[in-house]
Amino acid sequence: KKSDNLNSIEMYDEVLHPAVKTRATLETDLAFALQGQQLLLYFQVQVDETHQPIGAEVLLRWQHPALGMIPPDQFIPIAEESGEIVPIGQWVLQQACEQLRHWASAPLTRSLMLSVNVSAVQFNQPDFVQMVTDTVLQSGCDPRLLRLELTESLIVRNVDEIIGKIQALKALGMTFSLDDFGTGQSSLSVLKRLPLDELKIDKSFIKDILHNTYDTFIVETIIKMAKNLGQTVIAEGVEMQPQKTLLQTMGCHRFQGYLFSKPLPLEQFESSLQTEMAM
Ligand code: C2E
Ligand code: CA
Ligand code: CA
Ligand code: CA
């Protein structure tokens, strides 16, 4: 997790020093972030072997009026504890669905998928399925272009209930990805029961894939397992061409990472697509 922190420091113009504000103050401020229009979405491209964009992951940012840009790793855990993640998560989903509907009218963007992160706290709300259904239907977007990213932290409860929720939403056409795969402690026997469409290999495994034979072996095993379960695989945190080449020889055909692009604000993301297509 150290490397994650180093990367956030590189990425954000103004870094929130942990001592600047107490957690309680951030929690209070967070309650106003949504109505104060301080939250915004960045988009990070996901590509196929030929570097063609196939979609993007939606990543939340908090533009704090006094502290500048606060990375999600610093405020999402607080939002999960306070419960604020529920309205925030709904807002992210609404924005993503509206973006998809908007993109549907242009040839360059109409087949792009959007991956939206869903917190376990949000997923475990009793009305989660209803909320997602209403949001998707009201937006008029194509649910087949919407992918929800879940993490293993979800699996603390009744697995049948989780499966039921996933299946209800899959019936609408949307798909599911398991994020940060390999970092949690859930057992494979539980994971294999979840009707997931995609496994996302965590960037901590990708980081040393070229030099750490243990990580190389883990990634190879994850890819094989996913194939056996009929799931596609995407690697996150791909920063160097040789990583991508190795992943490809192992059977991974979808990639996300700084090698292709950092997360970008909407306008920059859209113009990056234009340059990509022009090449
Ligand atoms: P995540 O879902 O694992 O997202 C991937 C993180 O890796 C993002 O950090 C992204 O900027 C970063 N990343 C992308 N490419 C590279 C790369 O090549 N190298 C490295 N080192 N890092 C890369 P970000 O945007 O700071 O988000 C951090 C976490 O915050 C996310 O991790 C996710 O767990 C959470 N998050 C972000 N947006 C949302 C949201 O809307 N809802 C919820 N519940 N969580 C969110
Ligand atoms: Ca994610
Ligand atoms: Ca991840
Ligand atoms: Ca993560």
Side-chain angles (χ1 to χ4, degrees):
K1 280 285 131 186
K2 256 225 170 74
S3 59
D4 277 15
N5 291 338
L6 287 176
N7 269 299
S8 342
I9 289 169
E10 281 168 19
M11 280 183 56
Y12 299 94
D13 303 338
E14 296 178 66
V15 178
L16 173 70
H17 193 276
V20 171
K21 279 214 163 187
T22 65
R23 198 182 162 98
T25 317
L26 271 189
E27 188 178 320
T28 312
D29 292 352
L30 196 52
F32 294 97
L34 199 52
Q35 67 187 72
Q37 300 184 320
Q38 297 163 9
L39 298 182
L40 59 158
L41 300 179
Y42 274 39
F43 298 81
Q44 186 179 32
V45 74
Q46 299 179 332
V47 302
D48 66 12
E49 299 102 313
T50 65
H51 293 211
Q52 285 299 304
I54 50 176
E57 178 174 4
V58 176
L59 293 158
L60 194 55
R61 299 289 180 262
W62 181 12
Q63 182 65 59
H64 190 285
L67 300 168
M69 201 72 103
I70 303 181
D73 284 340
Q74 291 185 19
F75 71 84
I76 283 169
I78 299 175
E80 286 177 331
E81 234 169 75
S82 71
E84 195 62 27
I85 193 66
V86 176
I88 290 175
Q90 181 173 1
W91 177 82
V92 171
L93 186 70
Q94 261 161 12
Q95 298 295 304
C97 290
E98 277 167 32
Q99 196 56 59
L100 282 174
R101 197 218 42 220
H102 189 72
W103 281 348
S105 56
L108 194 63
T109 49
R110 75 163 45 116
S111 55
L112 290 179
M113 295 192 69
L114 277 182
S115 289
V116 174
N117 291 286
V118 173
S119 154
V121 174
Q122 200 190 349
F123 185 91
N124 285 328
Q125 296 296 302
D127 66 346
F128 180 73
V129 169
Q130 194 59 51
M131 183 280 284
V132 176
T133 306
D134 292 348
T135 305
V136 167
L137 295 181
Q138 276 163 25
S139 76
C141 77
D142 182 349
R144 289 170 303 179
L145 297 174
L146 183 64
R147 176 160 291 160
L148 301 185
E149 294 195 1
L150 308 177
T151 59
E152 291 168 60
S153 63
L154 186 85
I155 314 170
V156 288
R157 294 237 200 133
N158 186 330
V159 178
D160 290 319
E161 198 182 310
I162 298 168
I163 295 172
K165 284 182 165 185
I166 294 175
Q167 265 160 354
L169 291 172
K170 284 184 70 161
L172 285 178
M174 63 192 76
T175 53
F176 283 83
S177 183
L178 189 63
D179 198 5
D180 300 344
F181 184 68
T183 62
Q185 52 258 296
S186 46
S187 76
L188 288 180
S189 58
V190 167
L191 283 180
K192 77 163 193 229
R193 291 183 55 207
L194 300 184
L196 303 164
D197 305 277
E198 181 184 78
L199 277 192
K200 200 165 192 184
I201 306 174
D202 191 67
K203 55 178 179 291
S204 59
F205 296 111
I206 306 302
K207 197 170 157 285
D208 296 324
I209 195 179
L210 296 170
H211 310 291
N212 183 328
T213 49
Y214 181 72
D215 287 351
T216 316
F217 176 72
I218 299 247
V219 169
E220 206 166 12
T221 308
I222 292 175
I223 294 169
K224 275 194 195 130
M225 188 197 72
K227 297 240 149 127
N228 285 331
L229 294 172
Q231 295 161 346
T232 59
V233 189
I234 182 165
E236 72 173 14
V238 181
E239 297 183 354
M240 292 169 288
Q241 183 62 44
Q243 292 173 326
K244 187 225 166 202
T245 309
L246 177 59
L247 283 160
Q248 213 172 321
T249 61
M250 290 174 169
C252 175
H253 304 295
R254 297 176 183 198
F255 314 91
Q256 181 182 340
Y258 298 161
L259 175 63
F260 314 100
S261 172
K262 291 197 167 189
L264 299 170
L266 179 65
E267 280 182 21
Q268 274 173 264
F269 175 77
E270 287 179 334
S271 51
S272 77
L273 292 174
Q274 257 137 22
T275 29
E276 177 76 27
M277 300 303 273
M279 290 193 303

